[in-house]
């Protein structure tokens, strides 16, 4: 038996274990000091009422012979796909139900989609980035070429026409930088992909945080994208489903490469290797798109947005350069006084008891930067803002 040796090429990530270790050492040494966590990448508000009611109803259906459901369609129930198509329709994007695939979340789909591609492809991945894009390619035996996201380009790298590409990862609003591509910038990526005959893998996990109506929430709202882009989305950050698990991927029918339809290939992949998301969870996800569901999930997103605004105001007041915080739950700040990411982490923890995430953990261009998140509660976020004001 031979193992997949590509796993040995993966770099160990000690980011979150190092953070946990440093925080527990600090709290053990200073039990009297209160630590505020602004490193949280998970939601903290509970599922909204409309979702809970829909799931309770679905649980009850499962308990009666007449309404019990066994295996569902691998690609998801029509009632959820119709709700998603309606949501895209509000943005002027028309989707066929066959283009929507329901899954247990964006992370699985982002990794699993690689089943469709040959090892020999040039893969462009932004740096800094959500680490899953890089690691899933390494596991599959691919090397990646990095797109430099820097303060100079506002952490929104644009295509270089001289650079060859086959697969391009874009994430907007971005994790970790919170930066959001404009329509014009996404159009440049779409045009470039069409010329290169490349495929864009667009991660829209944070689309619901966009409040500026001029910013695109979906790459499929850009002309030409249906010929070159797959979109991944999730209920995790939109509706608090991080522990409930549901997401969806849109694979347009027009996507053909070497004469093969990616939509047909993904359907084949999913029906072979995946048996669908639970009926109960899909019923909960569909409730997100009802009028009450929309009102309730938007209220939760607003709650996080207010936290982001409090942190953004503080950084502005202190003249600290940052991206994000407006159309995203993340703020990506430059470390003051040329401190490196870990030195700033130690400084914030020991001086004012704030925990964030060192930017260097997301790629080499993250060095000298720091991620704060808006997922804590109002009270703690306000308290953290006062502490930041005092120490920056
Ligand atoms: N994509 C990005 C950019 C993320 O930050 C995350 C989670 O943090 C995911 C995808 C994963 O989402 P899901 O919970 O749907 O697997």
């Amino acid at each position: 038996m031979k193992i997949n040796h590509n796993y040995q090429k993966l770099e160990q990530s000690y980011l979150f274990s190092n953070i946990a270790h440093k925080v527990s050492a600090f709290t053990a040494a200073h039990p009297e000091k209160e630590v505020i966590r602004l490193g949280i990448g998970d939601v903290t508000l509970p599922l909204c009422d409309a979702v809970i009611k829909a799931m309770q109803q679905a649980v009850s259906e499962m308990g009666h012979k007449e309404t019990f459901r066994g295996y569902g369609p691998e690609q998801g129930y029509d009632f959820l796909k119709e709700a998603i198509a309606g949501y895209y329709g509000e943005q002027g994007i028309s989707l066929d139900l066959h283009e929507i695939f329901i899954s247990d979340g964006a992370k699985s789909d982002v990794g699993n989609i690689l089943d469709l591609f040959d090892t020999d492809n040039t893969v462009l991945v932004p740096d800094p980035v959500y680490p899953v894009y890089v690691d899933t390619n390494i596991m599959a035996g691919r090397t990646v070429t990095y797109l430099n996201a820097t303060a100079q380009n506002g952490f929104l790298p644009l295509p270089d026409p001289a650079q060859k590409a086959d697969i391009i990862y874009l994430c907007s609003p971005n994790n970790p930088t919170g930066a959001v591509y404009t329509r014009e910038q996404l159009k440049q990526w779409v045009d470039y992909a069409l010329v290169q005959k490349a495929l864009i893998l667009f991660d829209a996990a944070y689309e619901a945080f966009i409040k500026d109506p001029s910013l695109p929430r979906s790459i499929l709202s850009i002309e030409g994208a249906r010929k070159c882009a797959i979109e991944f989305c999730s209920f995790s950050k939109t509706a608090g489903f991080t522990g409930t698990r549901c997401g969806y991927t849109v694979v347009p029918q027009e996507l053909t490469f070497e004469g093969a339809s990616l939509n047909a290939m993904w359907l084949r992949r999913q029906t072979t290797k995946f048996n669908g998301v639970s009926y109960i969870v899909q019923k909960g996800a569909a409730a997100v798109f009802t009028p009450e569901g929309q009102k309730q999930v938007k209220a939760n997103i607003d709650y996080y947005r207010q936290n982001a605004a409090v942190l953004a105001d503080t950084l502005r007041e202190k003249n600290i350069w940052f991206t994000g915080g407006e159309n995203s739950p993340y703020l990506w700040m430059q470390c003051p006084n040329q401190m490196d990411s870990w030195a700033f982490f130690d400084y914030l923890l020991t001086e004012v008891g704030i925990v964030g995430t060192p930017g260097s953990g997301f790629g080499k261009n993250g060095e000298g930067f720091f991620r704060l998140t808006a997922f804590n509660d109002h009270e703690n976020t306000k308290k953290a803002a006062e502490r930041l004001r005092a120490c920056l």
Side-chain angles (χ1 to χ4, degrees):
M1 203 293 282
K2 297 186 183 72
I3 59 158
N4 178 351
H5 286 279
N6 295 316
Y7 277 67
Q8 286 151 343
K9 296 181 200 148
L10 291 167
E11 271 180 40
Q12 284 305 327
S13 172
Y14 299 110
L15 179 64
F16 290 101
S17 58
N18 269 352
I19 292 173
H21 180 73
K22 279 177 182 267
V23 174
S24 58
F26 178 78
T27 47
H30 306 278
E32 75 293 353
K33 292 207 172 145
E34 179 208 30
V35 168
I36 302 178
R37 289 164 205 274
L38 295 184
I40 314 173
D42 196 353
V43 292
T44 51
L45 293 173
L47 292 172
C48 70
D49 198 45
V51 168
I52 292 296
K53 285 205 174 104
M55 292 207 291
Q56 282 169 339
Q57 167 70 32
V59 168
S60 159
E61 285 174 42
M62 293 299 266
H64 295 91
K65 195 164 185 351
E66 308 72 45
T67 46
F68 167 77
R69 311 253 175 163
Y71 289 124
E74 291 93 339
Q75 60 276 39
Y77 284 104
D78 276 358
F79 64 77
L80 179 53
K81 295 202 277 179
E82 275 158 14
I84 292 168
Y87 183 67
Y88 274 75
E90 286 164 22
Q91 295 177 63
I93 302 165
S94 162
L95 296 183
D96 186 284
L97 295 195
H98 293 110
E99 296 178 317
I100 303 168
F101 295 82
I102 310 301
S103 74
D104 65 344
K107 191 189 213 176
S108 322
D109 283 0
V110 161
N112 293 336
I113 199 80
L114 297 180
D115 274 11
L116 273 47
F117 316 129
D118 192 275
T119 313
D120 182 20
N121 274 304
T122 301
V123 183
L124 300 190
V125 181
D127 170 3
V129 81
Y130 177 55
V132 172
Y133 311 150
V134 175
D135 287 352
T136 50
N137 274 287
I138 299 205
M139 287 172 179
R142 277 183 214 98
T143 49
V144 303
T145 304
Y146 288 103
L147 285 163
N148 284 317
T150 61
Q152 286 68 42
N153 57 30
F155 285 93
L156 292 168
L158 289 171
D160 167 4
Q163 166 73 55
K164 177 190 170 339
D166 297 311
I167 297 170
I168 303 155
Y169 285 84
L170 297 178
C171 175
S172 176
N174 191 273
N175 178 13
T177 71
V180 186
Y181 278 113
T182 64
R183 302 192 69 79
E184 295 68 31
Q185 289 170 328
L186 275 192
K187 180 81 174 95
Q188 287 188 46
W189 275 113
V190 166
D191 290 346
Y192 167 77
L194 291 172
V195 169
Q196 291 277 330
K197 297 191 173 27
L199 175 69
I200 296 174
L201 299 178
F202 189 78
D203 188 338
Y206 297 94
E207 59 84 24
F209 284 84
I210 294 181
K211 67 166 189 246
D212 178 344
S214 73
L215 293 171
R217 294 197 340 244
S218 163
I219 195 165
L220 299 169
S221 66
I222 307 294
E223 199 197 331
R226 291 182 57 90
K227 292 201 181 85
C228 66
I230 290 178
E231 179 153 295
F232 302 92
C233 210
S234 169
F235 293 94
S236 284
K237 307 299 161 84
T238 310
F241 273 56
T242 50
T244 307
R245 311 303 306 145
C246 198
Y248 54 92
T249 289
V250 181
V251 188
Q253 306 270 21
E254 288 91 324
L255 283 178
T256 48
F257 289 83
E258 298 186 279
S261 152
L262 292 191
N263 181 287
M265 286 175 74
W266 183 240
L267 178 66
R268 189 72 169 92
R269 192 266 170 216
Q270 290 298 80
T271 50
T272 304
K273 293 197 186 181
F274 183 61
N275 244 345
V277 176
S278 105
Y279 173 70
I280 300 160
V281 169
Q282 292 192 60
K283 273 288 178 184
V288 168
F289 300 105
T290 60
E292 319 84 80
Q294 279 293 291
K295 211 166 103 199
Q296 293 165 4
V297 296
K298 281 184 179 152
N300 285 358
I301 287 173
D302 268 344
Y303 181 94
Y304 297 132
R305 276 206 198 107
Q306 285 166 29
N307 286 343
V310 166
L311 296 171
D313 285 347
T314 311
L315 298 181
R316 262 185 227 111
E317 201 182 300
K318 289 287 168 179
N319 279 322
I320 292 191
W321 190 92
F322 69 99
T323 52
E326 259 176 50
N327 295 286
S328 152
Y330 297 123
L331 293 97
W332 179 252
M333 61 177 286
Q334 190 150 37
C335 301
N337 307 320
Q338 263 113 51
M339 262 188 253
D340 70 38
S341 300
W342 278 108
F344 186 56
F345 175 92
D346 291 335
Y347 173 75
L348 276 190
L349 177 63
T350 54
E351 293 299 312
V352 290
I354 290 177
V355 181
T357 314
S360 54
F362 298 99
K364 81 170 170 36
N365 290 329
E367 183 55 276
F369 290 85
F370 201 75
R371 190 187 77 171
L372 300 175
T373 82
F375 290 121
N376 210 314
D377 62 31
H378 278 344
E379 200 194 337
N380 277 330
T381 306
K382 279 194 193 131
K383 219 187 279 176
E386 279 160 31
R387 294 186 191 180
L388 285 171
R389 207 169 271 127
C391 83
L392 289 177

